[in-house]
Amino acid sequence: MRDFSAGPQGLSINTATVRKQWKLDRIIDECARRDIRAISPWRDQVAAVGLDAVARRLRDAGVALSGYCRGGFYPAKDASGLAAALADNRQAVDEARALNAPCLVLVVGSLPGALDGHAAHKDIGRARGEVRDGIAATLEYARQAGMPLAIEPLHPMQAAERACINTLEQALDLCDELDPARSGALGVAVDLYHVWWDPKLAAQIARAGRERLLAYHVCDWLTPTRDLLNDRGMMGDGVIELRKVRGWMEAAGYAGHAEVEIFSDHWWAQPGEQVLDTCLARHRSVV
Ligand code: ZN
């Protein structure tokens, strides 16, 4: 297993972690100042600064991407909604390419309208079918662009609103169906917050292998968890066996970043400098 104790090697910051404190250009500078050489930005943060300006800033600062967040949200209540989602995903692929991302992360979506409290229907099977077809269409486009797609399974508590793919096994089944050659064009983002509890986690990481393991997101699971979305813990503050799982990832061939992604009202209320310094310290001591 790689040794992360010496410094920021292997560390990436998912920029949602400090999105309430800083805009993206400042986040890039603050990471570079700490010799953190990778980030994973969100589309709205990029749009707020401008795609070209962000690409320039990354180049000047010597900061690369560990992923781009995010595409997906395929299911819709009608044909025009489905088409709009496909167009939006093509645009996300183009942005990821402009920023030299190693992959575009997909949060696939589920019941249309559920996120706003008004689900258009209750047929999660239909949603799964639309997700399958949507990823297949995006994959065709992304292959031309040379942009790998990383399906991120979300914890089942998000199954209605955000993703009807909820386990690594389910995501890998879809990868096998749509990319049987294991070409590297389609894989998974393993976010520990979503999959740490899964009794099949070790076996599915091994099954995924190097070609399918495109991203690795870390934080921690707090007990008790007070909010289903915005109460993620800093690494080391919860119950996830971080080192053990990284061992499984690396044994399967993963050699990429450990990307810190913390949605947390607590950490968003702290000074950004303190959050990044804590991420770095915990990266060295517990990740
Ligand atoms: Zn994630």
Side-chain angles (χ1 to χ4, degrees), residues 14 152 191 194 217 232 261:
N14 184 297
E152 180 166 325
D191 185 327
H194 294 299
H217 300 173
R232 294 186 177 209
E261 185 182 37

Side-chain angles (χ1 to χ4, degrees), residues 16-17 19-21 222 226-233 262-270 275:
T17 305
R19 73 179 178 205
K20 297 270 171 80
Q21 290 93 336
L222 299 177
R226 294 188 168 80
D227 184 284
L228 296 187
L229 192 62
N230 296 326
D231 194 25
R232 294 186 177 209
I262 302 175
F263 300 94
S264 163
D265 292 326
H266 167 76
W267 289 103
W268 283 327
Q270 314 305 315
V275 177

Side-chain angles (χ1 to χ4, degrees), residues 22 25-36 273 276:
W22 296 321
D25 44 3
R26 174 84 184 271
I27 296 173
I28 293 168
D29 292 349
E30 293 286 346
C31 284
R33 181 170 304 148
R34 289 165 177 80
D35 207 24
I36 298 169
E273 292 87 348
L276 288 188

